[in-house]
Amino acid sequence: MESKDGSKKIILVVDDEPSILKLLNFILSSEYTLIIKTSGIEAIAWLEEGNDPDLIISDLMMPYFDGSTLIKNLKISGFYRNTPVILLSGADDLEEKVKEMSFKIDRFMEKPFNPTILKSHITELLA
């Protein structure tokens, strides 16, 4: 999918699992520019450099600075309030955890996820 200027849309992917990062790279890199970060701290540093992704895909459970803290800080900042977010997690009670969050998650998916459904969510959110 392309931006108005013809470049690929940018997706920030934040996950600490190498196998998930490889899978996301494999299924999405032909259509999108992927920025891969392995922690919330790395993601914040990249964003603070002035980068502005079209969409964020984040794991919920990561060491030091988890996905919930990352997204909460981004939504509170105001700069990324309207940036769509897809949350991935292997947590058994993911739906309950999302309901308890004080900020909006556009989509959430349990790991392992169906790549076709993920791509469909991305297309809908970037339309």
Side-chain angles (χ1 to χ4, degrees):
M1 182 172 278
E2 296 181 352
S3 297
K4 290 179 182 176
D5 66 0
S7 63
K8 290 181 179 180
K9 295 227 179 196
I10 298 169
I11 298 177
L12 172 60
V13 176
V14 189
D15 201 307
D16 62 330
E17 293 182 47
S19 60
I20 295 295
L21 294 174
K22 285 180 184 178
L23 175 61
L24 291 171
N25 189 51
F26 179 75
I27 64 174
L28 300 174
S29 64
S30 64
E31 297 176 58
Y32 304 98
T33 298
L34 298 184
I35 305 300
I36 308 263
K37 301 298 174 187
T38 58
S39 74
I41 294 169
E42 286 182 14
I44 290 289
W46 181 80
L47 292 164
E48 286 179 344
E49 292 172 357
N51 296 298
D52 188 17
D54 296 293
L55 181 122
I56 298 169
I57 298 174
S58 179
D59 185 16
L60 178 61
M61 296 180 291
M62 294 180 286
Y64 311 115
F65 198 83
D66 66 15
S68 177
T69 304
L70 169 66
I71 302 307
K72 180 179 180 180
N73 283 313
L74 295 180
K75 296 296 183 177
I76 289 172
S77 77
F79 293 111
Y80 305 99
R81 182 178 305 134
N82 297 319
T83 303
V85 173
I86 298 175
L87 195 61
L88 301 176
S89 179
D92 294 333
D93 55 349
L94 179 58
E95 189 168 353
E96 286 303 313
K97 287 183 180 191
V98 169
K99 285 180 185 176
E100 293 171 5
M101 293 178 181
S102 61
F103 49 90
K104 181 184 174 201
I105 297 295
D106 298 282
R107 300 284 191 285
F108 59 91
M109 298 182 71
E110 290 183 17
K111 295 178 183 177
F113 57 87
N114 181 319
T116 303
I117 293 173
L118 175 64
K119 288 177 82 170
S120 174
H121 288 320
I122 291 170
T123 301
E124 288 172 22
L125 292 169
L126 292 177

